[in-house]
Amino acid sequence: MDTLRFLDILGFSVGLIYLYLEYRASIWLWLASLVMPAIDMVLYYRAGLYADFGLAIYYCLAAVYGYAAWRWGGNAQKKTSLPVTHIPLSLILPLALALLLVWALIWYILSRYTDSTVPVTDAFTTALSIVALWALARKYAEQWLLWFVVDAVCFWLYIRKGIPFKAAIYGLYTVFAIIGYRKWLGLIAKDTN
């Protein structure tokens, strides 16, 4: 088995664990968020997905932030963890503007300084993933909807790039994004009762 295929299968396996932990809103998802991008860095670099490679570095750093936010982001006096909530309406426009700015910047870098064959798509999924991961770290239920878009586009992109196990996990992520969103809406309802 070649290295690319091995990394693809290993990343798929860790991705299944991550998906289960995210669905359960388990803080342990952040451990998988350290392991999976470390595998993905090598995989993406070898596949010529340079923005995804950079995103994997961001994922490692964001995993530390996400763990801290989930662990200590609630009420410090009561020692509660961060609750699942909705994205405040006041953040929608700033997040949309940040998405567009980051997408344009990454697209420019990929088009100008790399041999990427998919700069627009790679930049889009990377920019939206940055926003989605931030929303996950803040435990906003709508992060699942953002991931739905990322996952559906990545599913197609990874098929095109010839990394089938990564495509398969993103196909599963696409389905579970809807299931996870409904689950997290239930967690919000449970917390408000």
Side-chain angles (χ1 to χ4, degrees):
M1 178 183 309
D2 69 357
T3 304
L4 193 63
R5 184 72 57 209
F6 172 75
L7 291 170
D8 193 15
I9 293 169
L10 184 60
F12 175 84
S13 302
V14 175
L16 290 175
I17 295 166
Y18 170 86
L19 184 59
Y20 173 76
L21 295 170
E22 183 180 11
Y23 174 78
R24 303 278 316 209
S26 169
I27 197 167
W28 294 108
L29 78 91
W30 297 109
L31 177 59
S33 289
L34 282 172
V35 174
M36 190 168 50
I39 296 165
D40 288 347
M41 278 189 255
V42 179
L43 177 69
Y44 292 146
Y45 188 80
R46 288 179 174 230
L49 294 165
Y50 305 117
D52 282 344
F53 169 80
L55 183 62
I57 296 169
Y58 167 74
Y59 281 169
C60 286
L61 298 173
V64 175
Y65 169 76
Y67 177 82
W70 280 35
R71 178 79 168 96
W72 299 291
N75 186 324
Q77 284 82 20
K78 294 182 181 178
K79 296 186 179 176
T80 60
S81 63
L82 194 64
V84 176
T85 60
H86 291 288
I87 293 177
L89 291 177
S90 62
L91 288 180
I92 301 292
L93 182 59
L95 287 173
L97 292 174
L99 169 65
L100 292 173
L101 179 66
V102 172
W103 182 13
L105 177 65
I106 295 170
W107 180 4
Y108 173 79
I109 291 169
L110 291 177
S111 298
R112 180 112 172 140
Y113 300 107
T114 75
D115 61 352
S116 176
T117 58
V118 288
V120 175
T121 311
D122 197 8
F124 173 73
T125 58
T126 301
L128 188 54
S129 294
I130 289 169
V131 173
L133 189 58
W134 175 83
L136 171 61
R138 300 307 312 153
K139 266 192 173 174
Y140 293 136
E142 291 77 17
Q143 59 93 14
W144 287 103
L145 301 176
L146 301 174
W147 286 122
F148 175 82
V149 174
V150 170
D151 299 338
V153 173
C154 284
F155 172 72
W156 168 81
L157 181 62
Y158 297 152
I159 287 174
R160 182 174 174 205
K161 283 298 203 173
I163 43 180
F165 285 95
K166 191 52 99 173
I169 195 72
Y170 275 83
L172 284 173
Y173 287 169
T174 302
V175 172
F176 269 89
I178 299 303
I179 296 167
Y181 180 60
R182 294 184 70 194
K183 164 85 172 177
W184 280 34
L185 289 179
L187 293 174
I188 292 172
K190 181 180 165 187
D191 284 347
T192 57
N193 290 332

